[in-house]
Amino acid sequence: EKYLGQIDNRLRCIFQASKDGYKVSPTERHRLEGFMHAGVVMGLVSNVELATFMDEIHLKIFGKTIRQRKEDRPAHFDDEVIDYSGYDQPTFERKD
């Protein structure tokens, strides 16, 4: 119970920060992932149980599951093709 309580607290903090528009630091995210993985390795919890637990907390914070939220998000800029050819010419030669 203490282990799941820690995960609950950390997930709530991370999800709430994300909802509030703050980017969660990679350190915090990786620390939580490692903590969760350790629980699986020690046999305290399974990956399926953790995924269900995460979805429940996510639903409470965002009002939708992780999958639903991913589907609702607009395409990332990675999907866009950006034409950088205008920068091939040296700056001092460009007129625009």
Side-chain angles (χ1 to χ4, degrees), residues 55-66:
D55 243 2
E56 289 171 1
I57 295 168
H58 192 277
L59 184 62
K60 289 176 186 173
I61 302 287
F62 289 99
K64 54 182 81 173
T65 64
I66 295 170

Side-chain angles (χ1 to χ4, degrees), residues 5-94:
Q6 278 293 314
I7 290 179
D8 181 276
N9 186 42
R10 292 175 187 204
L11 282 172
R12 285 179 190 278
C13 288
I14 286 175
F15 288 155
Q16 190 62 52
S18 179
K19 183 179 180 183
D20 293 342
Y22 297 104
K23 185 169 176 132
V24 178
S25 75
T27 303
E28 284 301 312
R29 188 171 41 90
H30 293 308
R31 187 174 288 148
L32 175 59
E33 289 170 356
F35 189 69
M36 292 169 75
H37 180 70
V40 172
V41 170
M42 293 187 310
L44 299 174
V45 67
S46 71
N47 281 322
V48 173
E49 290 170 320
L50 285 174
T52 302
F53 195 60
M54 281 179 56
D55 243 2
E56 289 171 1
I57 295 168
H58 192 277
L59 184 62
K60 289 176 186 173
I61 302 287
F62 289 99
K64 54 182 81 173
T65 64
I66 295 170
R67 176 178 280 178
Q68 290 170 331
R69 185 163 169 247
K70 282 183 181 178
E71 290 171 357
D72 291 348
R73 286 179 22 196
H76 289 90
F77 69 91
D78 295 338
D79 298 337
E80 297 176 16
V81 176
I82 300 172
D83 181 18
Y84 290 106
S85 64
Y87 299 100
D88 290 341
Q89 187 178 18
T91 312
F92 64 90
E93 292 179 1
R94 285 188 235 145

